[in-house]
Amino acid sequence: MTKTAELHIDGNVYELPILEGSEGEKAIDISKLRAQTGHITLDVGFKNTGSTKSSITFLDGEKGILRHRGYTIEDLCEKADFLEVAYMLIYGEFPDAETYEKFKYTITHHTLVHEDMRKIFDGFPSTAHPMGVLSSLVTSLTAFYPESLDPTTSPEGVDLTIERLLAKLPTIAAWSYKNEMGHPVNYPNNQLDYVSNFLYMMFGFRTENYEVNPVVRDALNKLLILHADHEQNCSAATVRVVGSSQASLYASVSAGINALWGRLHGGANQAVIEMLENIKKDGGDVEKYLAKAKDKDDPFRLMGFGHRVYKNFDPRARIIKKSCDDVLESLGIKDPTLEIAKKLEEAALKDDYFVERKLFPNVDFYSGIIYRAIGIPTEMFTVMFAMGRLPGWIAQWKEMREEGQPIGRPRQLYVGENERKLEK
Ligand code: ACO
């Protein structure tokens, strides 16, 4: 029997169905609320609003659990390769050996971008932020593959669009870095796997034999998996809303990239390193910065701390912290910002302000230190996040389309002027 919630308004009683998810999460279905009662719900920032049912990712912010299609993030990071996690997120199951070989072959053979796209790169000044370049270039894929404009075409057509996007994003990302550096670009190397090829396109020079460092490759593989999906976050929700108007996958993902860019979302990894550098320059006094973060008259926030959903340790931060130690040790790097980060974390976790508000380090707190250790420049950090998040955006877009979800269009509570005459 369906459970219901009762809503009392002006002496009338309305029954609202209660739905239960596969992990026991409960939701009150208000989809007919306005038609039945004339009321809408108000939930600024969607803090309590479920915008969809989904089978992709489960997370329990109170317990610090993150699972993709039932697999824990810890298991995935330890045992899987990023590209097979991408396949699993998008298509629901891990591929068998033959399917995976075919998938890898297809992705590898779509990594090249159209030579005319080079002209678009050339048009950007070297001051262009790589996130802006990335989102522009992803949108411009619609010009090179106009058949992608109508996402209601055959499933094979959609698959090809997905494969092209997965294949070309690392090339576009690496080229946006080369553009910023004023270096000639590296064309993809089909002998290399997905992660190694990206490293080659970033750091290889045509005149030298580039050897991929396995420690760096493993760290990057792990980081990409850690970022692969995170249910209805700001950028995934953006991808779904944009896609719900039947905009193409490229346009929808480009919108997701822009949503990720902000410092309250994916841009936090860049902001964390900048914050740690500032603290270092200012003498390394972490208590001073904790006091600033707590002061309501000071706009400063501890970047990389707090999360809309996690009210416990972000499980991704736990994995990254360990990986950070391993990478720095095996590369023989001593990074004073890591020491500051650890001191800051230790002090914050003991501080009443942070304890009461359940503010813990999030995925971005340590990731920047690893990126920097493997040679990724600060402005590229959020681009790395985008590369990792791509399979999640695609999976969310595909699920939204396959479920035939209606166009995303929230309501509002109008609080402006009532009708008035224009006196002229
Ligand atoms: N430093 C200091 N205080 C904080 C911080 C922080 N990093 N985060 C939250 N708080 C405080 C708020 O001031 C608020 O205090 P109050 O109740 O006294 O007013 C309380 O904790 C709740 O915070 P909200 O801003 O209401 O929480 P919300 O869920 O809206 O925001 C967010 C979450 C944006 C992540 C926030 O914690 C933040 O700004 N963190 C820093 C930026 C960051 O690291 N972003 C990356 C998030 S992970 C990701 O997107 C990949």
Side-chain angles (χ1 to χ4, degrees), residues 47 263-265 268 293 296 301-308 353 357 359 362-364 385:
K47 294 197 175 195
R263 40 199 289 134
L264 296 189
H265 191 11
K296 294 288 173 206
R301 275 194 166 195
L302 208 53
M303 299 315 287
F305 254 79
H307 198 277
R308 171 59 61 80
Y353 175 95
R357 290 169 180 76
L359 302 171
N362 60 48
V363 68
D364 289 320
F385 193 152

Side-chain angles (χ1 to χ4, degrees), residues 276 279-280 284 286 336-345:
L276 294 173
I279 299 177
K280 191 177 88 183
V286 297
T337 55
L338 178 62
E339 292 317 308
I340 293 178
K342 285 185 174 170
K343 271 200 233 161
L344 206 52
E345 178 191 334

Side-chain angles (χ1 to χ4, degrees), residues 14-15 47 77 88 112 132 139 189 210 282 284 308 334 343 347 379 383 410:
Y14 303 93
E15 297 226 329
K47 294 197 175 195
C77 279
M88 179 272 290
L112 208 55
T139 303
N189 179 342
Y210 178 72
D282 194 24
R308 171 59 61 80
K334 280 224 168 308
K343 271 200 233 161
E379 288 210 326
V383 171

Side-chain angles (χ1 to χ4, degrees), residues 118-181:
R118 289 279 307 278
K119 295 180 191 146
I120 309 181
F121 273 102
D122 290 345
F124 282 103
S126 61
T127 49
H129 193 288
M131 282 297 275
V133 177
L134 190 71
S135 78
S136 310
L137 268 288
V138 169
T139 303
S140 79
L141 286 171
T142 54
F144 294 91
Y145 306 104
E147 66 278 14
S148 69
L149 286 173
D150 181 1
T152 59
T153 54
S154 63
E156 295 75 30
V158 170
D159 283 345
L160 181 59
T161 300
I162 291 173
E163 286 155 4
R164 282 189 174 132
L165 187 52
L166 275 174
K168 294 179 200 309
L169 198 87
T171 312
I172 297 172
W175 286 13
S176 70
Y177 163 67
K178 291 289 192 194
N179 177 66
E180 194 188 357
M181 298 296 288

